[in-house]
Amino acid sequence: MLDKEAQKKVDKANVYRLVVSNFLINLGDVLINPKVTLPWLLQSVGAPLFLLGWLVPIRESGSLLPQVIIAHFIYKIKIRKWVWVLGSVIQSLCVVLIGFAALLLEGDSAGWVIISGLVVFSVARGLNSVASKDVLGKTIVKNKRGSVTGWSASAAGFITIIIAFSMLLGFDSLHNNTGLYVWGIVAATFIWLVAALIYSFVREPFSEVGGVSSSLLSVFKEFALLRTDRTFRSFVIARSLFLCAALSAPYYVLIAQNNAQNSVFTLGLFILVSGLASLLSSPFWGLFSDYSSRQVMVFSSLLSVLSGVGLFFSANFELEMFSGSWFLPLLYFVLSIAHQGIRIGRKTYLVNLGEGNRRTSYVSVSNTVIGIILLGMSSISLLSYVVSLETLVLIFSFITLVGAVMVIRCLPEV
């Protein structure tokens, strides 16, 4: 046992290591964002259009689907930081694969290799997701855990804005230079490797590994909650409908890229507004969620619908403002703010809905179900072959609207 002074030093060091490693991971996500940078990259290499509809589902469901199984096995590991380290190393290798695929391949082959790399990347992210919550709870006192997450996210948002400004200021030299961006992705592998190195120095106490059922089938008994708990079932359905707000995001980028004279400048604008939306709106949605997470889900989803409807009408009625380089990034800014609200509102609602082990069951079951539904919803992107991209965004908006109505009618305040 350490004395109080020594333990205080260990705690401070753990806070620093967790903040820095999580900051690096968040920063790395900017470079392979399935809503902004990856759509641009797929478009640049001439990948099939329908692959765009798979980006968000694969990125999200790949990390969500295996979480019940990952949690089952991680409970048998005494030191769980190594699971996080393993996930980061795998992600770094996937980033290299994505970069070289875009540099050396084109068309269908480039698209499928990039998608394959994203699949493995997302599953590896599931390792980080499960391990990080456990390590955070074991190494950081309760009243500092939110600060660790908040500081890393804020720092990453700030750096995102700096990256975007750099792209905007140097867009003349970057114009149509896909190779330069690809090599940037390859170099970014060091982000995940450095994060893994820093995380490996976290001082983590041993975990209890006894009393864990060895039967994998015992994990899936939790899904009975969907049948027996009406409020939870309604929440999962509403959350599934809200997925369309995120699924529509890549099409904003694609529409803007099709209308832009300089795709790199457009990419920089979208990265900029995405970072600004996260940086500026998250504190507001967090405070609002403490008052009523149910209302946050309603208001933010309606804001998402407003953005999609605005995109459809401005494009189809040939409004002059639609041709401006600022208009689509502005709509994407609104959509990003709405997405932050939906994400924070539904997370807060789910945490408040249950206590103890019940809450743990809610989280694992809902995440796994949402991962499955995401893959199914990706089939909606096939409509891009028969309707315009603007119409597809409108369809996503109407589905999101149904989710808002369901929250109003079926979910109580918690």
Side-chain angles (χ1 to χ4, degrees):
M1 288 289 293
L2 299 173
D3 58 41
K4 279 189 175 182
E5 196 61 35
Q7 186 60 52
K8 195 173 181 181
K9 290 181 179 179
V10 169
D11 291 342
K12 283 185 177 180
N14 279 340
V15 168
Y16 168 77
R17 290 161 184 158
L18 290 176
V19 168
V20 173
S21 57
N22 282 300
F23 154 68
L24 290 171
I25 288 294
N26 290 332
L27 177 59
D29 281 343
V30 174
L31 297 172
I32 55 168
N33 189 324
K35 300 173 191 173
V36 181
T37 52
L38 284 184
W40 178 86
L41 193 60
L42 285 178
Q43 177 80 349
S44 298
V45 299
L49 183 63
F50 73 89
L51 288 180
L52 286 169
W54 284 89
L55 291 175
V56 172
I58 286 174
R59 171 61 184 85
E60 299 299 330
S61 64
S63 61
L64 293 174
L65 276 173
Q67 283 194 17
V68 170
I69 298 174
I70 290 172
H72 177 73
F73 288 105
I74 202 175
Y75 290 147
K76 303 175 184 178
I77 301 173
K78 289 184 178 181
I79 299 295
R80 295 168 183 172
K81 67 180 181 181
W82 298 116
V83 177
W84 197 98
V85 171
L86 175 63
S88 296
V89 172
I90 294 174
Q91 288 173 78
S92 72
L93 297 176
C94 293
V95 171
V96 173
L97 176 65
I98 290 172
F100 276 111
L103 183 66
L104 303 175
L105 304 174
E106 60 182 23
D108 289 12
S109 57
W112 283 112
V113 172
I114 290 172
I115 289 293
S116 300
L118 184 63
V119 169
V120 180
F121 178 94
S122 301
V123 173
R125 193 49 173 269
L127 296 174
N128 292 56
S129 178
V130 176
S132 63
K133 295 177 180 64
D134 196 49
V135 173
L136 182 67
K138 289 164 60 182
T139 58
I140 305 298
V141 294
K142 187 175 182 180
N143 61 356
K144 291 185 178 179
R145 293 170 190 165
S147 299
V148 169
T149 305
W151 277 111
S152 3
S154 296
F158 179 71
I159 297 298
T160 300
I161 294 171
I162 293 177
I163 291 174
F165 271 121
S166 299
M167 294 181 69
L168 292 175
L169 293 175
F171 76 92
D172 285 334
S173 61
L174 293 173
H175 180 49
N176 289 330
N177 193 343
T178 304
L180 186 60
Y181 176 74
V182 170
W183 282 112
I185 290 182
V186 175
T189 184
F190 292 106
I191 290 177
W192 278 273
L193 293 178
V194 172
L197 178 63
I198 293 173
Y199 205 90
S200 69
F201 286 102
V202 170
R203 296 281 296 273
E204 177 192 355
F206 286 111
S207 299
E208 292 290 336
V209 295
V212 180
S213 173
S214 59
S215 172
L216 193 58
L217 292 176
S218 64
V219 174
F220 298 98
K221 292 180 180 178
E222 302 286 349
F223 289 93
L225 283 170
L226 294 169
R227 176 174 52 84
T228 59
D229 193 322
R230 181 179 179 181
T231 301
F232 176 63
R233 181 173 65 248
S234 297
F235 168 82
V236 172
I237 294 172
R239 182 184 171 187
S240 302
L241 297 170
F242 287 155
L243 291 173
C244 288
L247 290 172
S248 66
Y251 296 100
Y252 283 67
V253 180
L254 182 57
I255 292 169
Q257 189 175 5
N258 290 337
N259 294 332
Q261 295 180 344
N262 190 299
S263 61
V264 176
F265 180 79
T266 302
L267 177 65
L269 280 178
F270 275 84
I271 293 176
L272 175 62
V273 299
S274 178
L276 281 173
S278 177
L279 189 66
L280 298 177
S281 68
S282 295
F284 167 76
W285 290 127
L287 290 173
F288 194 178
S289 292
D290 287 337
Y291 171 75
S292 173
S293 54
R294 175 178 173 271
Q295 290 186 34
V296 168
M297 287 190 288
V298 173
F299 289 138
S300 55
S301 58
L302 292 178
L303 189 62
S304 168
V305 173
L306 181 64
S307 175
V309 171
L311 172 63
F312 175 80
F313 279 101
S314 60
N316 283 274
F317 290 92
E318 298 182 355
L319 299 181
E320 184 178 347
M321 60 183 178
F322 184 72
S323 60
S325 60
W326 56 270
F327 183 65
L328 279 171
L330 177 62
L331 286 180
Y332 189 81
F333 178 70
V334 174
L335 178 69
S336 299
I337 289 176
H339 178 65
Q340 286 295 323
I342 292 172
R343 186 179 63 85
I344 293 172
R346 55 95 173 161
K347 281 186 177 180
T348 307
Y349 190 91
L350 188 60
V351 169
N352 293 339
L353 188 60
E355 296 291 340
N357 290 334
R358 187 78 164 183
R359 177 189 296 152
T360 304
S361 298
Y362 282 159
V363 172
S364 61
V365 171
S366 63
N367 281 349
T368 302
V369 170
I370 291 301
I372 296 170
I373 292 174
L374 258 173
L375 291 177
M377 279 193 167
S378 63
S379 61
I380 298 176
S381 64
L382 295 174
L383 291 174
S384 62
Y385 287 99
V386 294
V387 300
S388 67
L389 296 180
E390 294 83 4
T391 302
L392 189 57
V393 169
L394 185 67
I395 293 172
F396 282 129
S397 298
F398 280 139
I399 297 174
T400 304
L401 179 61
V402 175
V405 173
M406 186 162 190
V407 170
I408 294 170
R409 298 189 61 177
C410 302
L411 293 185
E413 292 282 357
V414 294

